């Protein structure tokens, strides 16, 4: 087990491609199964899997930013204003760059970026789990992340995969004492999604804890302090820069981004709206089953987080996962989006990965294979139905 404030020594070659290869091959196989299942399901329903992956919901907003820049908005009959300023810029920037360098459309460029980012995310998750535990747990962690019920989002032109990749590698850099690298990756994560604040907070808390520990042990060491300080300064620049730019663009100052989110009826209310949403499910018998499922799901998330604490995960992982959970569950709107908003909270999966790693390989493979098939079928059903809003 690890000390909550002290990262373990880095295993030799913890992030080497050869060491991560089994995890990446397994991840690619699970995602290929998911996409193939989606294609077959969509064809049977007369729909295009390509359209479902590239041109619905948030992916449309990202491609509009890539194509038209910021300023596009939709005014709804009830007076709400949906502005594309709500969407952070890194993914559309990359879509525009890839489209300029290749024959791909913005939508297909987004799909390519997401595909490559999901592999980078899988590699980063492996590196973190390998560092904290060992390579076997790392492989299991990647596969558990791949077979999540909403894992199909990892293959969509959404920003979850890109964000998770940047977050995982930033956290790995924190755990291995590469503070400047961690700060740069945290800054890019902050340009990807609002939850980039979780990466910044994780870096800051870990850096302060490390500073306090090292100062008492080695008061004369100035260079590590400077590197930590530089990493801390770099980390918030992405998110802060975009939020301040939106405030300037809207003429509403530092809180302009919150007004943009309010136009989407989205905000942070401590979970009150979500609790009411769950409570409303118990007004009839069929929906009550969904309410029970939501309560069980939230209880499982809380149990996993408590288990992470009890197993002594490094402080950076605990802070990061805790903030991702809080922002996902305590948002005041888009309740159907909460499963995918939790997708970047990969440290929650480490207790499950540790349990799988203790099983025989044949047994863990059987479990993961069965869950992968169920996840692929659910992904096909989900995207051909309501899908992620």
């Amino acid at each position: 087990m690890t000390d909550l404030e002290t990262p373990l020594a880095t295993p030799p070659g913890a992030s080497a491609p050869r060491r991560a290869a089994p995890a990446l091959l397994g991840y690619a196989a699970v995602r290929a199964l998911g996409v193939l299942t989606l294609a077959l399901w969509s064809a049977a329903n007369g729909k295009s899997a390509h359209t479902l992956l590239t041109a619905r919901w948030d992916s449309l907003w990202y491609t509009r930013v890539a194509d038209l820049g910021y300023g596009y908005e939709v005014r709804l009959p009830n007076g709400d204003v949906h502005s594309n300023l709500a969407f952070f810029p890194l993914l559309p920037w990359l879509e525009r760059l890839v489209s300029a360098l290749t024959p791909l459309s913005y939508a297909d460029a987004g799909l390519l970026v997401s595909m490559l980012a999901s592999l980078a995310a899988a590699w980063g998750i492996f590196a973190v789990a390998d560092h904290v535990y060992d390579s076997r747990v790392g492989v299991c962690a990647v596969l558990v992340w791949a077979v999540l019920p909403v894992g199909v989002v990892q293959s969509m032109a959404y920003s979850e995969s890109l964000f998770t990749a940047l977050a995982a590698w930033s956290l790995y850099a924190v755990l291995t004492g590469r503070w400047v690298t961690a700060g740069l990756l945290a800054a890019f994560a902050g340009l990807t999604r609002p939850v980039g604040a979780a990466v910044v907070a994780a870096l800051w808390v870990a850096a302060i804890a490390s500073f306090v520990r090292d100062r008492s042990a080695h008061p004369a060491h100035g260079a590590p302090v400077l590197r930590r300080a530089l990493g801390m300064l770099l980390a918030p620049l992405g998110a802060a820069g975009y939020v301040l730019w939106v405030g300037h663009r809207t003429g509403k100052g530092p809180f302009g981004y919150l007004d943009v989110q309010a136009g989407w009826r989205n905000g942070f209310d401590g979970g009150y709206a979500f609790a009411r949403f769950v409570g409303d499910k118990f007004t009839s018998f069929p929906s009550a089953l969904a309410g029970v499922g939501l309560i069980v799901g939230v209880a499982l998330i809380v149990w996993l987080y408590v288990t992470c604490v009890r197993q002594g995960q490094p402080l950076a992982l605990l802070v990061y996962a805790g903030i991702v959970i809080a922002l996902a569950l305590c948002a005041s709107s888009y309740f159907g989006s909460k499963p995918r908003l939790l997708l970047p909270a990969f440290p929650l999966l480490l207790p499950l990965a540790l349990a799988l790693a203790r099983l025989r390989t044949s047994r863990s493979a059987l479990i993961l294979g069965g869950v992968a098939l169920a996840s692929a079928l659910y992904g096909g059903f989900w995207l051909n139905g309501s899908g992620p809003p």
Side-chain angles (χ1 to χ4, degrees):
M1 301 303 172
T2 67
D3 184 276
L4 290 182
E5 298 182 0
T6 308
L8 300 175
T10 308
S15 61
R18 182 176 297 179
R19 188 176 179 87
L24 298 181
L25 289 173
Y27 176 80
V30 172
R31 292 289 4 109
L33 174 64
V35 173
L36 176 61
T37 303
L38 174 65
L40 295 174
W41 195 301
S42 302
N45 283 276
K47 296 182 179 180
S48 166
H50 178 265
T51 300
L52 294 176
L53 293 173
T54 63
R56 291 183 72 184
W57 306 293
D58 287 11
S59 56
L60 284 175
W61 287 90
Y62 284 119
T63 55
R64 287 193 188 107
V65 173
D67 186 21
L68 305 173
Y70 285 105
Y72 177 84
E73 62 184 29
V74 175
R75 295 183 177 271
L76 303 183
N78 65 356
D80 290 345
V81 178
H82 288 185
S83 167
N84 66 357
L85 289 169
F87 295 87
F88 277 50
L90 185 58
L91 178 58
W93 284 350
L94 292 174
E95 289 177 344
R96 183 177 292 182
L97 176 63
V98 172
S99 184
L101 297 176
T102 68
L104 296 176
S105 66
Y106 292 128
D108 288 336
L111 191 63
L112 177 61
V113 169
S114 182
M115 180 186 71
L116 296 176
S118 71
L119 287 170
W123 189 359
I125 292 169
F126 171 84
V128 169
D130 186 20
H131 176 82
V132 176
Y133 297 108
D134 56 40
S135 62
R136 186 176 174 86
V137 177
V139 172
C140 290
V142 169
L143 294 179
V144 172
W145 190 67
V147 303
L148 289 174
V150 294
V152 68
V153 174
Q154 299 160 13
S155 299
M156 298 178 69
Y158 269 44
S159 60
E160 274 77 9
S161 291
L162 178 60
F163 174 78
T164 305
L166 293 166
W169 282 108
S170 179
L171 291 169
Y172 178 73
V174 168
L175 296 177
T176 54
R178 299 171 173 88
W179 297 102
V180 176
T181 300
L184 286 170
L185 291 171
F188 283 116
L191 283 171
T192 307
R193 295 187 65 80
V195 75
V199 189
V200 177
L203 187 153
W204 274 58
V205 172
I208 292 171
S210 177
F211 171 76
V212 171
R213 183 184 64 248
D214 288 359
R215 187 173 183 181
S216 61
H218 308 287
H221 287 189
V225 173
L226 292 177
R227 287 195 293 270
R228 276 193 288 268
L230 182 56
M232 293 174 70
L233 288 173
L234 290 171
L237 293 183
Y242 181 68
V243 167
L244 291 174
W245 179 81
V246 170
H248 175 74
R249 174 74 179 257
T250 59
K252 297 183 179 180
F255 302 105
Y257 184 77
L258 297 180
D259 288 340
V260 170
Q261 285 286 5
W264 288 78
R265 299 209 172 205
N266 201 16
F268 187 88
D269 65 358
Y272 174 73
F274 184 47
R276 287 191 59 185
F277 173 77
V278 174
D280 290 343
K281 294 294 182 183
F282 291 92
T283 56
S284 64
F285 174 71
S287 63
L289 295 177
V292 171
L294 289 170
I295 291 173
V296 170
V298 172
L300 175 61
I301 290 167
V302 173
W303 176 78
L304 284 172
Y305 187 74
V306 171
T307 303
C308 291
V309 175
R310 294 180 64 183
Q311 290 182 347
Q313 280 191 19
L315 183 58
L317 300 186
L318 296 175
V319 171
Y320 167 76
I323 294 177
V324 173
I325 294 167
L327 291 177
L329 296 183
C330 296
S332 60
S333 184
Y334 295 97
F335 306 116
S337 299
K338 294 190 183 297
R340 73 173 176 89
L341 296 179
L342 287 165
L343 197 61
F346 67 89
L348 286 179
L349 306 178
L350 295 185
L352 300 177
L354 185 60
L356 282 169
R358 289 170 175 166
L359 299 176
R360 284 178 156 184
T361 300
S362 58
R363 183 171 296 181
S364 59
L366 183 62
I367 293 172
L368 287 167
V371 177
L373 180 58
S375 175
L377 291 171
Y378 179 75
F381 165 78
W382 194 40
L383 287 197
N384 278 274
S386 61

